[in-house]
Amino acid sequence: MSDARTIFGSGLTTIASDGTVLDAWFPEIGTSEPSAGDLAASIATWEAFAGPDPRRAVTVETVQLRIDLDEAPASTADAYLRLQALSHLLVRPNELNLDGIFAHLPNIAWTSAGPMLPADAVRLRPALQRAGIQVSGVDKFPRLTDYVLPAGVRIADASRVRLGAHLAPGTTVMHEGFVNFNAGTLGASMVEGRISQGVVVGDGSDIGGGASIMGTLSGGGTHRVSIGARTLLGANAGIGISLGDDCIVEAGLYVTAGTKIVLADAAPLVDGGRPVVKGGELSGQNGILFRRNSLTGAVEATRRAGVGVTLNEALHA
């Protein structure tokens, strides 16, 4: 990851007939300011792909942009450059300003030929069908793979990974995995569950099938959940607290900040019971196994030694 706080981009932007800027694609992106000659060459390269597309009622134009990552997004093109900076691994999740980004992202009809306004997609439906153009979704965010193909990454279902996802080399996102924008992995990881906005997953960790990680976009939460290295979030499990390195949450168990947890390996109390804490008190600690006692139903935490999980190297090479 670069320490630079400025990103430069050059490419193409799509503009609807009513003047709405729909998107911006920056195939040339980086932290170093291009020379005047490089800028001119870039314009010449992308002008060959510019022009009107009457099928979608849009016009494609060249775009060049410089943004400050510490400032809030100021336009649609600015927002798209930030999302692509994340997906190109130029900056990590939560390390750039995304305040107010939704206001700069119009709701788009995403088609096999590119973005267009939903109203135009309805109006031009017969012509789109004759041209073999299909609408795959209506959303503010596009698929990651429509703009960035991250190196060394496997994505089984492209519709389940949004632009702005940060996927480190060696990551595998299986069919039921989901990765939101401003979230993702910092190393080789297996993703079969949900990684919500703002969540980062450390190297060598496994998000099991159907597992869920709480984000902060809704529900009033302020804690940004993170998962450390070599940690396993079991199938259909979930967390609203952070996990450190080498932790395990057993399948089907959901642990939130308010969950009452028995410290199973702590010294007994005077009455013979074990101390009980809330989940938030264990947030971010290393080497913990979270489990449910099959006899009492109580959620328990116990310290564990050694590596939490070892990924199959063949699947993440």
Side-chain angles (χ1 to χ4, degrees):
M1 181 193 70
S2 171
D3 293 330
R5 303 306 300 169
T6 303
I7 297 291
F8 301 85
S10 181
L12 299 169
T13 184
T14 308
I15 303 172
S17 56
D18 67 356
T20 300
V21 177
L22 301 179
D23 79 335
W25 173 51
F26 296 97
E28 297 180 21
I29 184 173
T31 58
S32 300
E33 185 166 9
S35 65
D38 289 339
L39 288 174
S42 176
I43 292 176
T45 296
W46 301 113
E47 277 184 343
F49 301 96
D53 184 350
R55 301 173 305 168
R56 294 181 288 137
V58 303
T59 299
V60 177
E61 299 181 359
T62 59
V63 60
Q64 292 179 328
L65 191 61
R66 173 187 183 276
I67 61 171
D68 183 338
L69 294 177
D70 295 320
E71 299 293 331
S75 66
T76 299
D78 182 331
Y80 269 81
L81 185 51
R82 289 168 196 270
L83 295 174
Q84 286 165 70
L86 281 162
S87 294
H88 279 290
L89 311 186
L90 297 176
V91 62
R92 287 182 175 181
N94 305 317
E95 294 185 358
L96 75 169
N97 192 336
L98 296 175
D99 292 346
I101 191 171
F102 285 95
H104 296 292
L105 297 174
N107 204 32
I108 301 297
W110 298 102
T111 81
S112 53
M116 61 187 301
L117 289 177
D120 287 337
V122 173
R123 176 174 60 86
L124 298 173
R125 179 181 175 86
L128 292 172
Q129 288 184 317
R130 285 197 300 271
I133 298 173
Q134 298 179 330
V135 176
S136 60
V138 181
D139 193 11
K140 286 178 173 286
F141 286 82
R143 301 178 299 187
L144 166 68
T145 55
D146 287 344
Y147 294 82
V148 179
L149 290 178
V153 170
R154 295 170 56 203
I155 301 173
D157 185 346
S159 67
R160 299 186 61 82
V161 182
R162 276 177 154 180
L163 179 64
H166 180 288
L167 300 179
T171 295
T172 294
V173 183
M174 294 301 291
H175 297 77
E176 295 304 316
F178 172 83
V179 187
N180 211 338
F181 77 100
N182 193 38
T185 62
L186 305 181
S189 297
M190 172 62 79
V191 181
E192 297 181 271
R194 178 183 180 86
I195 301 180
S196 299
Q197 191 270 351
V199 175
V200 290
V201 176
D203 184 36
S205 290
D206 188 332
I207 311 304
S212 176
I213 307 171
M214 292 175 64
T216 57
L217 282 178
S218 60
T222 58
H223 174 65
R224 288 195 179 275
V225 176
S226 63
I227 291 179
R230 303 172 303 279
T231 285
L232 171 64
L233 186 58
N236 296 315
I239 53 171
I241 63 172
S242 292
L243 301 176
D245 298 341
D246 303 307
C247 292
I248 296 176
V249 179
E250 77 165 22
L253 178 62
Y254 212 114
V255 181
T256 68
T259 301
K260 293 182 178 181
I261 301 175
V262 178
L263 302 181
D265 52 4
L269 301 173
V270 175
D271 62 3
R274 303 285 178 173
V276 176
V277 301
K278 289 186 176 181
E281 297 179 50
L282 301 177
S283 183
Q285 294 189 28
N286 298 329
I288 297 181
L289 166 63
F290 295 89
R291 67 192 183 197
R292 187 176 294 279
N293 187 304
S294 60
L295 296 178
T296 67
V299 178
E300 298 179 341
T302 180
R303 296 287 174 179
R304 60 180 309 279
V307 174
V309 63
T310 301
L311 297 180
N312 184 332
E313 294 185 4
L315 295 178
H316 301 270

